[in-house]
Amino acid sequence: MKTRRAKTDDAAEISSFLKELADLGKRQRPWDEAFVREHYISNPDGIQCSVVVEDDGTILGLQALSRAAEGNSYDVTPGWGIIGTHVKPSAARRGVGKALFAASTTAAQDAGIRHIDATIGATNAEGLAYYEAMGFRTYRTPDGAVCKVFDVPLPTA
């Protein structure tokens, strides 16, 4: 497996596994290619959108890190990072999320981000456990969600 930046050409394959997640009841947001391009790969507030791929190029997961803008839909403090992680169901428990988060942490450091928000559905036990394992802690609980924050370490010299 290797981690790389997502490319526009990846939208169809990402959309396909997001649909798998939606079909399993693990995703409520749109999953179509246009959404993937607009909100993940080419997001104007995006810092980095990473994918983990198999040696044959098959995409196993996606993690998008963006900078919270004023008035963002998650009510995250402007200037913080906002992160979203999606792993292909057949790739669960293989270290995909850990590899993605390593890339996102470096990108956050490079962008001067000091805090990253992950807003997770309150009933998404897998998502809550993943972000806890990555070092996030709960800082607020709006209706139906749990908002976790990760304090980005300062880059080492």
Side-chain angles (χ1 to χ4, degrees), residues 17 19 41 59 71 80 82-83 88 92 112 118 120 138 142 151-152 155:
F17 79 74
K19 182 181 182 320
I41 299 172
I59 298 173
W80 280 28
I82 297 175
I83 201 165
K88 189 174 186 173
I120 307 113
T138 301
D151 297 322
V152 180

Side-chain angles (χ1 to χ4, degrees), residues 14-35:
I14 292 167
S15 174
S16 177
F17 79 74
L18 291 179
K19 182 181 182 320
E20 285 182 59
L21 291 169
D23 290 348
L24 292 169
K26 296 182 177 187
R27 180 178 177 82
Q28 287 72 47
R29 298 192 77 198
W31 47 263
D32 59 275
E33 289 181 49
F35 183 89

Side-chain angles (χ1 to χ4, degrees), residues 25-136:
K26 296 182 177 187
R27 180 178 177 82
Q28 287 72 47
R29 298 192 77 198
W31 47 263
D32 59 275
E33 289 181 49
F35 183 89
V36 169
R37 281 190 297 274
E38 181 181 339
H39 292 273
Y40 300 138
I41 299 172
S42 301
N43 182 342
D45 294 319
I47 294 169
Q48 183 164 295
C49 182
S50 302
V51 291
V52 166
V53 297
E54 289 273 30
D55 291 339
D56 67 2
T58 302
I59 298 173
L60 301 177
L62 156 88
Q63 190 165 76
L65 176 66
S66 60
R67 187 180 304 274
E70 195 72 44
N72 65 80
S73 62
Y74 294 102
D75 196 29
V76 172
T77 302
W80 280 28
I82 297 175
I83 201 165
T85 308
H86 309 285
V87 175
K88 189 174 186 173
S90 62
R93 313 285 313 157
R94 291 183 49 199
V96 173
K98 187 174 183 179
L100 288 166
F101 191 60
S104 292
T105 300
T106 299
Q109 290 171 330
D110 292 347
I113 298 290
R114 293 293 160 245
H115 307 285
I116 301 172
D117 169 275
T119 298
I120 307 113
T123 61
N124 182 346
E126 291 170 327
L128 294 167
Y130 165 73
Y131 285 108
E132 283 286 328
M134 295 300 105
F136 284 72

